[in-house]
């Protein structure tokens, strides 16, 4: 693997040429916010939260491979504003009733909203008509909270297992669904794995939830990314 | 200088945000030193008797009375602050927004629900004296202009306190990470 020299936020780093900007930043304890990205699955760059200035252009860090001499800026007021607007759009576009959500306090979308100190989305709430599928013995699928990041679908594909989750419909009507036959004998561990793959509360384990008290959940006291940023 | 005058109300909320306001503990004494209350459940003044500087609103708009009160607040308060998820995005009452048309919600509540036992004449309340239920629950800022938003369910007492202090002193609001939460 050959090495390249890249500059991130003014500091030079030697990086494997096969890595992406996001991976190199993470290795070097620089936090770039992500949402549709999950370590271990192929990035698709759809949520655009990880947009950085790369060689003077706005590009997604999760899909851009590093290059010799590349200059990356991960944080500017403009970038943060764009990122926060994406989060606001996602809140306005779904039905996110955080106070009644099992995922609250452990949700990546909500954690990003806290990071950007969003008091209210700039956009009008759509209140789309979406349903909740609770027919599966182990899982609940709450379409109200799904941000269509495709993490659930992509993870299984990568692991070369049969895909549990699929997209159905097109465009505006697209929603996730899953194979009830394939997942009929899903155990608790597999159900937990499916839930953990989802960044939000769209895939929820049945008969589980609200088991960590407020104040002790993942993002109650520590902002998202604080386990990466500045840690040596 | 005379003290700033504050009014508060709860629309389609549960009074949890007002409870959270009381949760500022002994700072409530400082608050009474800092401001004067007008229309508010805190002093039980029912109608505006003065023009106010700060109006604090809990809850969204689910009926015509909520809309009326909210418009009165906009008329009589220089600055309007909404507190809590219900005021900001409709909150739990707004869970009906995407589920069923209002007629179905009323039928479920008064006719079909398993716990309905005593409504033999199948009456859905519809008296002129009662406020009209709106087709949806609306966030306050979709009804009148709102100046500031304080999220939480209920907003942490410290967040409400910091907001009030900032408004009264004119300084920028302190916003530590752990006090800004949506639940
Ligand atoms: S999925 Fe996240 S943002 Fe959506 S309601 Fe649940 S906690 Fe809130
Ligand atoms: S269910 Fe979760 S992981 Fe799957 S697309 Fe929706 S938000 Fe993404």
């Amino acid at each position: 693997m050959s090495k390249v020299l890249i500059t991130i936020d003014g500091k030079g780093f030697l990086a494997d040429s096969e890595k992406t900007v996001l991976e190199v930043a993470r290795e070097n304890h620089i936090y770039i916010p992500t949402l549709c990205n999950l370590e271990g699955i192929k990035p698709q760059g759809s949520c655009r939260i990880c947009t950085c200035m790369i060689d003077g252009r706005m590009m997604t860090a999760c899909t851009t491979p590093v290059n010799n001499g590349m200059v990356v800026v991960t944080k500017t007021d403009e970038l943060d504003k764009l990122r926060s607007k994406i989060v606001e759009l996602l809140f306005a576009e779904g039905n996110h009733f955080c106070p009644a959500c099992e995922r609250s306090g452990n949700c990546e979308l909500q954690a990003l909203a806290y990071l950007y100190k969003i008091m209210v989305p700039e956009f009008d709430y759509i209140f789309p008509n979406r349903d909740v599928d609770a027919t599966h013995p182990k899982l609940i699928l709450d379409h109200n909270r799904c941000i269509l990041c495709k993490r659930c679908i992509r993870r299984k594909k990568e692991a070369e297992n049969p895909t549990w989750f699929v997209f159905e419909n097109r465009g505006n009507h697209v929603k996730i669904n899953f194979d009830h036959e394939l997942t009929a004998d899903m155990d608790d561990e597999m159900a937990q794995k499916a839930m953990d793959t989802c960044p939000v509360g769209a895939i929820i384990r049945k008969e589980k939830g609200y088991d960590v008290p407020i104040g002790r959940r993942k993002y109650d006291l520590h902002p998202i990314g604080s386990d990466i940023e500045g840690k040596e | 200088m005379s003290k700033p005058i504050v009014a508060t109300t709860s629309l389609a909320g549960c009074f949890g945000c007002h409870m959270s306001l009381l949760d500022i503990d002994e700072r409530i004494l400082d608050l009474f030193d800092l401001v004067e209350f007008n229309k508010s459940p805190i002093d039980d003044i029912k109608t505006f008797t003065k023009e106010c500087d700060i109006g604090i609103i809990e809850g969204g708009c689910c009926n015509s009375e909520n809309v009326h009160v909210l418009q009165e607040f906009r008329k009589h308060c220089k600055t309007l602050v909404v507190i809590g998820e219900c005021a900001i995005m409709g909150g739990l009452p707004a869970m009906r927004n995407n589920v069923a048309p209002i007629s179905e919600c009323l039928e479920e509540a008064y006719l079909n629900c398993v716990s309905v036992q005593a409504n033999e004449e199948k009456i859905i309340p519809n008296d002129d004296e009662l406020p009209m239920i709106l087709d949806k629950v609306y966030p306050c800022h979709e009804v009148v202009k709102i100046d500031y938003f304080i999220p939480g369910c209920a907003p942490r007492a410290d967040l409400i306190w910091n907001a009030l202090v900032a408004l009264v002193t004119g300084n920028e609001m302190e916003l530590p990470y752990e006090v800004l939460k949506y639940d």
Side-chain angles (χ1 to χ4, degrees):
Chain A
M1 212 182 280
S2 60
K3 295 272 184 190
V4 296
L5 192 64
I6 80 164
T7 309
I8 305 179
D9 295 340
K11 274 196 209 148
F13 299 101
L14 209 53
D16 292 338
S17 62
E18 267 140 62
K19 298 217 158 141
T20 63
V21 172
L22 181 73
E23 286 167 329
V24 175
R26 293 243 152 138
E27 277 169 19
N28 291 292
H29 311 285
I30 297 167
Y31 174 64
I32 299 173
T34 54
L35 198 51
C36 73
N37 187 264
L38 185 65
E39 215 178 311
I41 58 173
K42 198 172 163 224
Q44 68 170 12
S46 63
C47 76
R48 321 307 284 178
I49 292 277
C50 70
T51 300
C52 293
M53 293 305 282
I54 300 179
D55 285 340
R57 293 172 58 195
M58 281 187 189
M59 313 235 272
T60 47
C62 73
T63 52
T64 307
V66 290
N67 238 330
N68 203 27
M70 188 176 253
V71 178
V72 179
V73 180
T74 67
K75 209 171 149 45
T76 66
D77 287 349
E78 193 191 5
L79 285 172
D80 275 352
K81 189 159 176 221
L82 283 171
R83 289 169 184 158
S84 126
K85 290 297 152 192
I86 295 172
V87 175
E88 289 176 30
L89 278 166
L90 288 169
F91 269 91
E93 178 263 358
N95 297 307
H96 293 276
F97 297 99
C98 295
C101 180
E102 296 85 341
R103 197 65 194 256
S104 192
N106 299 311
C107 167
E108 291 178 34
L109 177 66
Q110 190 191 54
L112 285 170
Y114 294 162
L115 184 69
Y116 295 115
K117 297 190 186 319
I118 296 172
M119 307 301 262
V120 63
E122 183 192 319
F123 313 97
D124 282 357
Y125 293 99
I126 295 178
F127 293 119
N129 189 351
R130 301 206 194 138
D131 53 5
V132 177
D133 178 357
T135 54
H136 191 272
K138 292 280 180 201
L139 291 179
I140 299 172
L141 222 58
D142 190 338
H143 299 289
N144 294 290
R145 305 165 184 161
C146 176
I147 55 167
L148 302 174
C149 68
K150 241 179 161 182
R151 264 162 57 160
C152 52
I153 301 174
R154 290 185 292 147
R155 152 147 277 175
K156 292 323 281 182
K157 272 191 187 146
E158 303 290 313
E160 285 178 78
N161 284 321
T163 309
W164 288 346
F165 293 88
V166 287
F167 265 172
E168 60 178 42
N169 302 335
R170 289 284 167 102
N172 227 0
H173 304 289
V174 87
K175 60 176 192 176
I176 60 149
N177 205 337
F178 62 110
D179 194 315
H180 283 239
E181 260 173 47
L182 267 182
T183 54
D185 52 1
M186 180 184 257
D187 58 21
D188 287 340
E189 201 184 314
M190 283 148 90
Q192 185 65 43
K193 217 171 154 195
M195 178 170 165
D196 292 342
T197 308
C198 180
V200 293
I203 301 174
I204 291 289
R205 265 180 74 187
K206 268 194 182 167
E207 293 168 17
K208 193 120 177 52
Y210 311 112
D211 42 2
V212 183
I214 290 183
R216 281 196 237 145
R217 301 167 304 179
K218 194 164 176 197
Y219 301 118
D220 277 340
L221 302 178
H222 307 289
I224 189 167
S226 51
D227 52 338
I228 297 170
E229 186 73 41
K231 295 275 150 74
E232 289 306 325
Chain B
M1 204 179 86
S2 60
K3 291 188 204 174
I5 306 171
V6 176
T8 79
T9 190
S10 175
L11 307 176
C14 69
F15 266 97
C17 297
H18 274 79
M19 291 295 149
S20 198
L21 174 62
L22 298 182
D23 220 16
I24 58 177
D25 300 330
E26 75 280 5
R27 284 173 290 180
I28 194 105
L29 300 173
D30 301 332
L31 187 62
F32 283 111
D33 281 340
L34 275 172
V35 302
E36 170 189 336
F37 278 90
N38 197 261
K39 177 182 158 61
S40 168
I42 288 176
D43 53 16
D44 214 19
I45 299 180
K46 308 276 192 213
T47 47
F48 283 101
T49 56
K50 279 181 184 172
E51 295 304 290
C52 297
D53 297 288
I54 302 167
I56 298 176
I57 318 257
E58 157 190 341
C61 292
C62 83
N63 64 30
S64 54
E65 159 82 5
N66 298 150
V67 173
H68 171 76
V69 173
L70 183 57
Q71 286 169 338
E72 284 293 295
F73 264 73
R74 184 68 277 181
K75 223 181 280 166
H76 293 292
C77 304
K78 281 189 207 133
T79 305
L80 275 195
V81 186
V82 291
I83 58 174
E85 289 297 304
C86 298
I88 288 178
M89 58 86 65
L92 298 204
M95 280 186 141
R96 75 165 158 92
N97 283 9
N98 62 332
V99 175
I102 181 63
S103 55
E104 256 176 61
C105 291
L106 289 170
E107 280 162 21
E108 180 65 22
Y110 289 101
L111 308 180
N112 305 329
C113 175
V114 283
S115 60
V116 174
Q117 281 163 1
N119 190 4
E120 270 141 35
E121 284 147 69
K122 304 217 172 298
I123 296 170
I124 293 179
N126 188 20
D127 193 280
D128 284 349
E129 291 290 315
L130 294 174
M132 284 289 281
I133 304 279
L134 304 180
D135 64 333
K136 277 184 176 188
V137 179
Y138 292 87
C140 291
H141 64 281
E142 291 185 16
V143 179
V144 301
K145 181 181 184 304
I146 301 294
D147 302 292
Y148 297 104
F149 300 82
I150 307 297
C153 182
R156 305 294 180 267
D158 285 336
L159 188 64
I160 303 180
W161 171 255
N162 291 356
L164 279 171
V165 168
L167 275 171
V168 171
T169 60
N171 295 330
E172 195 166 329
M173 179 177 168
E174 278 180 49
L175 202 53
Y177 178 79
E178 63 281 1
V179 304
L180 173 65
K181 292 287 169 284
Y182 295 170
D183 60 3

